[in-house]
């Protein structure tokens, strides 16, 4: 099965700085790579995702890049704010039954702390 | 507005007891997933349920687990004989537009 590795496990940045979280995956059949943000005691919330047919996607201060050859993808947060503080999980998936989405394989998470 | 709701929000049970966790979609959906997250750890897939049958299950989803759609709308996850290590957050997720959206979760505490 798929194995997703995520680094770093903790990341502290000053408000306004950029933060980068990196993930690698093992299964070349994976074609969908979402990122979830989880605040303490809350549900994982989808913040951005990328599919294997594109190399980069951006949504305001958040961007994700994908390198299929190297099997790694990264989350970039620019102009960080204290409210960005949370645990961020990367995940990988493949196509499921009926052309739907298969199971998500999650990384171990990155605790991001943004200091004011 | 949440994609799904889950009940109960918190369940405390004694080891060996059966628990049923419920996932209530806002509107009718065919494809649901169950995940669990032990405190401080990553989210782990349990099972996916498509068109009223199991689509895929993980090695965690052993004989003590079962899923059903008892009334055609709600989805349930049953743990027959709970163990201490079943203590975790259990999330259901729904599929929409090639994405998965998580419910608020049920915190299960096994004493």
């Amino acid at each position: 099965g798929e194995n997703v590795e995520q680094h770093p496990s903790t990341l502290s940045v000053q408000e306004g700085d950029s933060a980068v979280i990196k993930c690698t995956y093992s299964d070349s059949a994976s074609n969908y790579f979402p990122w979830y943000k989880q605040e303490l005691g809350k549900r994982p919330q989808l913040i951005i995702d990328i599919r294997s047919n594109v190399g980069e996607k951006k949504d305001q201060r958040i961007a994700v890049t994908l390198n299929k050859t190297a099997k790694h993808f990264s989350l970039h947060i620019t102009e960080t704010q204290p409210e960005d503080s949370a645990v961020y999980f990367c995940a990988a998936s493949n196509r499921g039954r009926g052309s739907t989405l298969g199971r998500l394989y999650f990384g171990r998470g990155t605790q991001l702390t943004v200091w004011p | 507005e949440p994609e799904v709701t889950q009940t109960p929000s918190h369940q405390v049970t004694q080891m060996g007891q059966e628990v049923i966790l419920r996932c209530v979609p806002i509107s009718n959906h065919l494809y649901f997933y169950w995940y669990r997250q032990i405190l401080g750890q990553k989210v782990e897939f349990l099972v996916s349920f498509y068109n009223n049958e199991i689509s895929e299950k993980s090695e965690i989803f052993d004989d003590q687990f079962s899923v059903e759609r008892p009334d055609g709308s709600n989805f349930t996850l049953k743990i027959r004989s709970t163990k201490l290590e079943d203590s975790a957050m259990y999330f259901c997720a729904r599929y929409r537009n090639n994405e998965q959206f998580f419910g608020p979760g049920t915190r299960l505490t096994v004493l």
Side-chain angles (χ1 to χ4, degrees), chain A residues 32 36 38 42-44 46 49 51 89 96-108, chain B residues 2 31 33 35 37 41-43 45 50 53-56 58 91 95 98-100 102-104:
Chain A
Y32 173 67
Y36 287 85
Q38 187 176 35
K42 302 283 185 65
R43 75 183 82 186
L46 180 67
D49 55 20
R51 299 180 194 279
F89 290 96
R97 285 182 57 187
S99 296
T100 55
L101 187 61
R103 62 184 283 184
L104 292 174
Y105 294 85
F106 281 84
R108 293 193 172 276
Chain B
Y31 206 156
Y33 313 76
Y35 292 85
Q37 185 179 31
Q41 297 188 23
K42 68 177 178 180
V43 180
F45 171 78
Y50 176 65
E53 62 182 29
I54 290 176
S55 176
E56 186 178 6
S58 72
F91 295 102
Y95 169 85
N98 282 327
E99 296 172 338
Q100 292 186 29
F102 283 73

Side-chain angles (χ1 to χ4, degrees), chain B residues 6-25:
Chain B
Q6 290 185 244
T7 60
S9 57
H10 191 188
Q11 174 87 49
V12 181
T13 189
Q14 293 290 327
M15 189 170 57
Q17 295 297 304
E18 174 184 284
V19 295
I20 297 176
L21 312 181
R22 290 182 173 80
C23 181
V24 184

Side-chain angles (χ1 to χ4, degrees), chain B residues 51-68:
Chain B
N51 205 21
N52 294 324
E53 62 182 29
I54 290 176
S55 176
E56 186 178 6
K57 59 182 180 179
S58 72
E59 58 282 359
I60 302 171
F61 194 86
D62 60 22
D63 291 344
Q64 73 159 345
F65 290 92
S66 63
V67 287
E68 287 183 345

Side-chain angles (χ1 to χ4, degrees), chain A residues 15-35:
Chain A
E15 182 177 3
D17 288 350
S18 295
V20 180
I21 303 171
K22 299 182 179 181
C23 289
T24 61
Y25 62 99
S26 60
D27 188 352
S28 57
S30 289
N31 58 11
Y32 173 67
F33 307 93
W35 286 87

